[in-house]
Amino acid sequence: KSAANAIGNILFSGSLILNLAFTRYLADVLNRHGTQGLIAGTFKVQRAILLWGGAITLALIGSGLAAGNKIGVRSAIVIVLIALDAFTAYVGDVGRILLQVSRRTVPLGLYTLVWMVLRLLLCIVGLLSFGTVWGALSGIVLSSLLMIGVFNIVMMRRHGPSTGAIERLPSLSQELP
């Protein structure tokens, strides 16, 4: 259990760097293009995370399955869920980035609070339902999927599909020290 937790923490640690990069990018887009540009930029960030994060997640799952016993995690489903937890958390953070750039601190706090409470409750439900680590991890992943889904539904209803040309996303080499 502790190996799974440690691996999850390591995988999620890069989110701080990405959040800073995407926050800076979206703040610049907001200043240049206004709210519609911000919405288009937010969807562009989300697509990039889905594409690159999905590819990295598949690679992590493959390497984790190949090295499972060596890293202290013997369950294949737990390895898959650890990678999915990190991936869905990165995608779910897009909503937090948008609210931060928009300087909507109360909605940002509520978004985070709802997500963390949902994460706790669904983790407990998964644990009680299945009595396993994978049950708890499934609840955590489900909480992120729910937040991502609700975020996208709200964005589409309030702003419609993103349109307009905006700046390219920053390259990773620009963000590294």
Side-chain angles (χ1 to χ4, degrees), residues 26-48:
L26 287 176
D28 186 52
V29 168
L30 177 62
N31 288 334
R32 291 177 190 229
H33 303 282
T35 303
Q36 278 307 111
L38 176 61
I39 302 308
T42 300
F43 283 121
K44 184 178 260 193
V45 166
Q46 188 178 59
R47 281 189 304 273

Side-chain angles (χ1 to χ4, degrees), residues 6-69:
I7 293 167
N9 287 337
I10 291 167
L11 292 176
F12 194 68
S13 63
S15 71
L16 297 174
I17 295 167
L18 287 176
N19 281 354
L20 287 173
F22 290 139
T23 297
R24 205 169 27 241
Y25 165 75
L26 287 176
D28 186 52
V29 168
L30 177 62
N31 288 334
R32 291 177 190 229
H33 303 282
T35 303
Q36 278 307 111
L38 176 61
I39 302 308
T42 300
F43 283 121
K44 184 178 260 193
V45 166
Q46 188 178 59
R47 281 189 304 273
I49 293 172
L50 286 168
L51 175 70
W52 289 103
I56 292 168
T57 299
L58 290 174
L60 286 170
I61 289 170
S63 60
L65 291 172
N69 284 331

